[in-house]
């Protein structure tokens, strides 16, 4: 367990875990757990952009101090957290007490079976039921000017579903363009791919411009053979991402 101090930007920590040869050879990132103060969380999200980023990239969110916070305030904060990150479960900790099993095993591999559990890890359905409503047009990047303190208005959470298989070269070129031009605005990418080169699915995972090596699975997790790619972005909307994708597919 690696704990950051205060309002640390999570991206450099994740980059180190994913790229340092000594660490990457011995450890695999299981997940990111972000704690949010129920009493002061709204104010902190308004004032500190790092706190918004921590919530946006989290695999688990722990809500603290709910025992001393008005229930209505807690409920409103829960809605805000869910809009920022539709797939992350929100776990309440009372007096520091929380079931450890709800914090761990957030990564691709299920330690109980020693095999990948893509559906649990990706949670693509969380982005397809009307949640993640920050995926909308803000007037080409200027819509947040009406309230400079609403940092979470800049966050988008969406899932792209591709019905047809894609070539690895086209996918890699698309991602390379995205990360080169907009790396700081891509907080996290998680996906399962159907490629033209193989019948087996390939899993990808990146934080900003840094990616884990792709993982080829031995079988599809279910009957759905479509590519599903989850994006958590800042000031980068779905239309721009899809436009770059079409460019690499030749229109």
């Amino acid at each position: 367990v690696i704990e950051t101090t205060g309002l640390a930007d999570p991206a450099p920590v994740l980059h180190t875990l994913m790229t340092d040869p000594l660490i990457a050879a011995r450890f695999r990132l299981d997940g990111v757990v972000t704690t949010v103060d129920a009493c002061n969380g709204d104010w902190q999200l308004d004032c500190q952009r790092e706190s918004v980023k921590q919530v946006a990239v989290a695999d688990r969110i722990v809500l603290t101090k709910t025992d001393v916070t008005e229930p209505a305030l807690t409920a409103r904060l829960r809605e805000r957290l869910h809009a920022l990150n539709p797939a992350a479960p929100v776990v309440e900790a009372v007096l520091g007490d929380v079931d450890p099993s709800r914090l761990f095993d957030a990564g691709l591999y299920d330690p109980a079976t020693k095999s990948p559990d893509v559906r649990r890890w990706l949670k693509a359905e969380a982005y397809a039921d009307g949640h993640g409503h920050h995926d909308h047009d803000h007037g080409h990047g200027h819509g947040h000017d009406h309230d400079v303190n609403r940092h979470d208005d800049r966050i988008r959470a969406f899932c792209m579903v591709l019905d047809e298989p894609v070539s690895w070269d086209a996918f890699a070129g698309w991602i390379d363009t995205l990360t080169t031009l907009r790396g700081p605005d891509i907080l996290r990418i998680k996906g399962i791919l159907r490629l033209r080169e193989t019948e087996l699915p390939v899993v990808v995972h990146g934080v900003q411009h840094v990616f884990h090596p792709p993982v080829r699975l031995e079988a599809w997790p279910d009957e759905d053979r479509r590519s599903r790619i989850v994006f958590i972005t800042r000031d980068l909307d779905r239309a721009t991402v899809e436009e770059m994708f079409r460019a690499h597919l030749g229109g």
Side-chain angles (χ1 to χ4, degrees):
V1 177
I2 297 174
E3 182 181 3
T4 63
T5 56
L7 282 170
D9 185 332
V13 180
L14 297 176
H15 290 173
T16 300
L17 295 177
M18 294 165 68
T19 59
D20 182 275
L22 290 175
I23 296 174
R26 293 164 176 80
F27 298 97
R28 176 180 291 274
L29 174 67
D30 179 68
V32 179
V33 180
T34 296
T35 59
V36 178
D37 181 327
C39 192
N40 300 301
D42 254 338
W43 172 81
Q44 289 169 337
L45 288 169
D46 283 346
C47 297
Q48 307 290 345
R49 67 184 60 191
E50 291 89 354
S51 64
V52 175
K53 200 170 181 180
Q54 288 179 354
V55 168
V57 304
D59 295 287
R60 303 282 189 272
I61 298 171
V62 178
L63 206 51
T64 67
K65 299 185 182 176
T66 55
D67 53 316
V68 294
T69 305
E70 289 288 336
L73 186 63
T74 300
R76 189 168 68 244
L77 179 59
R78 272 182 168 273
E79 289 183 6
R80 187 173 182 181
L81 297 174
H82 188 59
L84 275 168
N85 190 333
V90 178
V91 182
E92 289 193 16
V94 180
L95 299 177
D97 187 27
V98 64
D99 181 358
S101 67
R102 300 187 68 188
L103 303 182
F104 297 98
D105 303 342
L108 174 61
Y109 287 90
D110 182 346
T113 62
K114 308 296 185 186
S115 61
D117 187 347
V118 177
R119 292 189 65 181
R120 181 201 62 182
W121 174 73
L122 190 60
K123 291 193 175 133
E125 68 279 0
Y127 303 87
D129 59 1
H131 297 306
H133 61 249
H134 289 299
D135 173 33
H136 56 263
D137 191 350
H138 290 282
H140 304 291
H142 299 294
H144 56 268
D145 291 347
H146 69 282
D147 187 349
V148 295
N149 289 325
R150 292 288 295 189
H151 298 299
D152 44 346
D153 282 349
R154 303 171 64 186
I155 302 297
R156 273 86 167 171
F158 57 91
C159 179
M160 276 186 63
V161 179
L162 310 178
D163 294 323
E164 299 298 325
V166 297
S167 73
W168 174 255
D169 285 346
F171 175 80
W174 170 46
I175 294 298
D176 185 57
T177 299
L178 271 175
T179 54
T180 299
L181 298 178
R182 302 297 296 271
D185 298 323
I186 300 170
L187 303 185
R188 203 164 184 186
I189 298 176
K190 298 161 71 171
I192 182 170
L193 304 177
R194 179 186 174 195
L195 299 176
R196 292 176 182 167
E197 294 88 347
T198 175
E199 291 296 317
L200 298 176
V202 172
V203 171
V204 292
H205 180 206
V207 177
Q208 294 190 324
H209 61 280
V210 176
F211 273 75
H212 275 301
V215 176
R216 182 178 294 183
L217 305 183
E218 295 181 359
W220 285 87
D222 51 36
E223 294 304 311
D224 193 343
R225 297 293 192 268
R226 300 174 301 171
S227 297
R228 283 150 284 166
I229 311 162
V230 169
F231 288 86
I232 306 289
T233 65
R234 180 184 59 198
D235 295 337
L236 179 61
D237 59 22
R238 179 197 293 265
T240 302
V241 172
E242 291 179 342
E243 184 180 346
M244 290 185 182
F245 176 71
R246 286 192 295 269
H248 281 277
L249 261 65

